[in-house]
Amino acid sequence: MRKEFETEYIWMDGKLVKWDEAKVHVLTHALHYGTGVFEGIRGYWNGTQMYIFRLQDHIKRLINSAKVYGFDPVYDLNGWSRAILETIKANNLKCNVYIRPLLIVGYGFIGLSLKDHEMQAIVITLPFEKYFEKPGVHAMISTWRRISEMSNPPSAKVTGHYTNSVLAKMEALNNGFDEAIFLDINGRVSEGSGENIFIVKNGVIYTPPPSCGILEGITRDTVIKIARELGYRVVEKEITRTELYLADEAFFTGTAAEVTPILSVDRRLIGNGEIGPITKALKEKYERIVKGQEPKYMHWLTPVY
Ligand code: PY5
């Protein structure tokens, strides 16, 4: 039976293939060793047009992630962008979508070496609405630490890095929470399993710097820019667990999560346990921008049709 998220085509290695034919061999290097890089991008449908949010920035990050691991990105910025537009159009998607470009080390002999392995370039597009079912989430500090620059470069969006995220996410869900928050190897607040984190204290917005093991989120960058535009002070600094507990507001940012309020951490309410005013203002602004309702930010949007 077809699942409701299935679309007609997936783009693989330069051509559109039928959903059911989008397959790889079991000796694909990436299946064994987590050697792939990917992106998560959103397209927003406003009733007449679809806008892809910060497409070029996502593709640049994909190519940079590949560079860190020495993978051939196969296509350049334009090539990947064209593939994405082509896939959405082929599927005739007229709804909010999630776009997943995936670049993997493909079929080859069993060892670790990347030599003699072809790269495979894939684009999946899916109808997509909310990542979290609820308007605000309850989080726990994970007992797992966020990967560090000393072992896996956290700012490269690599498939294998997500084993770390899966451990934390499942620990949180199994303990009755919605999401996990990682501390970095030095015990500072890092990020969620698939989101960046911000706190608000006395009207100032804080978020951990790249040195705390974060993926440098495009939504994080967006929120920093719009917060400054709205006149708030935004400071990148190390955040302790105590500072997080005692924050007035806290929220996650991510392509999938968008701007999601954190209502409690380890069963301690953040503020009064409701969405705070600054989080609300940023969330509303973000939602207007991605839908193309803010003329000033149209340069972040790529129209599909
Ligand atoms: N940190 C991690 C570990 C992430 O996986 C993501 C994105 C972010 C931060 C936020 O980055 P950005 O704002 O650029 O999206 N996570 C993926 C996403 O599409 C989903 C992973 C399941 O939001």
Side-chain angles (χ1 to χ4, degrees), residues 17-89:
V17 297
K18 286 280 193 189
W19 181 276
D20 290 336
E21 283 150 30
K23 292 182 177 156
V24 296
H25 195 275
V26 289
L27 262 179
T28 296
H29 196 281
L31 275 179
H32 298 247
Y33 306 121
T35 41
V37 295
F38 68 102
E39 273 303 314
I41 312 172
R42 271 193 191 250
Y44 291 87
W45 176 249
N46 70 2
T48 49
Q49 178 58 284
M50 184 187 298
Y51 291 118
I52 304 178
F53 188 61
R54 299 192 68 173
L55 175 62
Q56 301 231 326
D57 295 315
H58 279 283
I59 302 302
K60 281 183 197 152
R61 188 172 64 185
L62 180 79
I63 291 169
N64 280 337
S65 295
K67 180 176 181 178
V68 173
Y69 275 79
F71 303 154
D72 175 3
V74 188
Y75 297 93
D76 63 6
L77 191 60
N78 285 333
W80 279 101
S81 303
R82 267 203 308 274
I84 287 170
L85 293 170
E86 189 186 333
T87 314
I88 297 172
K89 284 182 193 154

Side-chain angles (χ1 to χ4, degrees), residues 38-41 58 61 98 100 131 146 157 162 165 191-196 215-220 253-257:
F38 68 102
E39 273 303 314
I41 312 172
H58 279 283
R61 188 172 64 185
Y98 190 80
R100 171 56 56 86
Y131 185 64
R146 176 70 176 145
K157 201 167 170 66
Y162 281 79
S165 294
E191 62 177 347
S193 69
E195 311 85 15
N196 292 114
L215 179 85
E216 289 174 63
I218 288 162
T219 321
R220 174 184 180 275
T253 63
T255 298

Side-chain angles (χ1 to χ4, degrees), residues 31-287:
L31 275 179
H32 298 247
Y33 306 121
T35 41
V37 295
F38 68 102
E39 273 303 314
I41 312 172
R42 271 193 191 250
Y44 291 87
W45 176 249
N46 70 2
T48 49
Q49 178 58 284
M50 184 187 298
Y51 291 118
I52 304 178
F53 188 61
R54 299 192 68 173
L55 175 62
Q56 301 231 326
D57 295 315
H58 279 283
I59 302 302
K60 281 183 197 152
R61 188 172 64 185
L62 180 79
I63 291 169
N64 280 337
S65 295
K67 180 176 181 178
V68 173
Y69 275 79
F71 303 154
D72 175 3
V74 188
Y75 297 93
D76 63 6
L77 191 60
N78 285 333
W80 279 101
S81 303
R82 267 203 308 274
I84 287 170
L85 293 170
E86 189 186 333
T87 314
I88 297 172
K89 284 182 193 154
N91 286 316
N92 196 28
L93 289 165
K94 296 194 168 157
C95 58
N96 293 334
V97 297
Y98 190 80
I99 304 156
R100 171 56 56 86
L102 176 66
L103 172 75
I104 57 175
V105 182
Y107 177 82
F109 195 54
I110 197 100
L112 285 177
S113 169
L114 301 178
K115 294 197 164 66
D116 308 322
H117 287 71
E118 295 279 310
M119 297 303 296
Q120 286 200 274
I122 297 161
V123 176
I124 305 160
T125 57
L126 302 165
F128 190 79
E129 292 295 334
K130 291 278 164 248
Y131 185 64
F132 291 112
E133 299 300 320
K134 340 168 165 173
V137 294
H138 300 280
M140 68 172 277
I141 303 284
S142 182
T143 63
W144 299 100
R145 293 294 171 96
R146 176 70 176 145
I147 53 170
S148 93
E149 191 67 37
M150 284 184 269
S151 49
N152 300 84
S155 249
K157 201 167 170 66
V158 176
T159 58
H161 293 181
Y162 281 79
T163 51
N164 178 237
S165 294
V166 169
L167 284 170
K169 181 77 183 185
M170 290 315 297
E171 179 187 38
L173 294 180
N174 290 336
N175 284 286
F177 295 90
D178 305 310
E179 187 53 292
I181 296 168
F182 279 118
L183 303 180
D184 72 4
I185 47 158
N186 299 312
R188 305 297 182 196
V189 173
S190 178
E191 62 177 347
S193 69
E195 311 85 15
N196 292 114
I197 191 168
F198 287 76
I199 65 169
V200 178
K201 187 74 183 181
N202 299 327
V204 181
I205 302 169
Y206 300 94
T207 193
S211 57
C212 287
I214 66 166
L215 179 85
E216 289 174 63
I218 288 162
T219 321
R220 174 184 180 275
D221 176 73
T222 303
V223 164
I224 291 173
K225 289 191 170 117
I226 62 184
R228 288 187 175 143
E229 190 79 28
L230 290 171
Y232 296 110
R233 221 177 117 218
V234 185
V235 183
E236 283 184 78
K237 80 166 196 82
E238 291 187 357
I239 296 169
T240 64
R241 185 173 189 157
T242 316
E243 286 173 300
L244 173 57
Y245 284 169
L246 298 180
D248 300 329
E249 302 180 29
F251 59 91
F252 286 125
T253 63
T255 298
E258 301 171 306
V259 178
T260 298
I262 302 171
L263 308 181
S264 72
V265 177
D266 293 343
R267 305 277 179 230
R268 289 147 176 92
L269 291 186
I270 300 299
N272 61 7
E274 285 164 22
I275 182 168
I278 294 179
T279 307
K280 188 161 182 284
L282 294 171
K283 184 179 166 59
E284 284 171 3
K285 187 83 168 173
Y286 181 79
E287 285 166 5

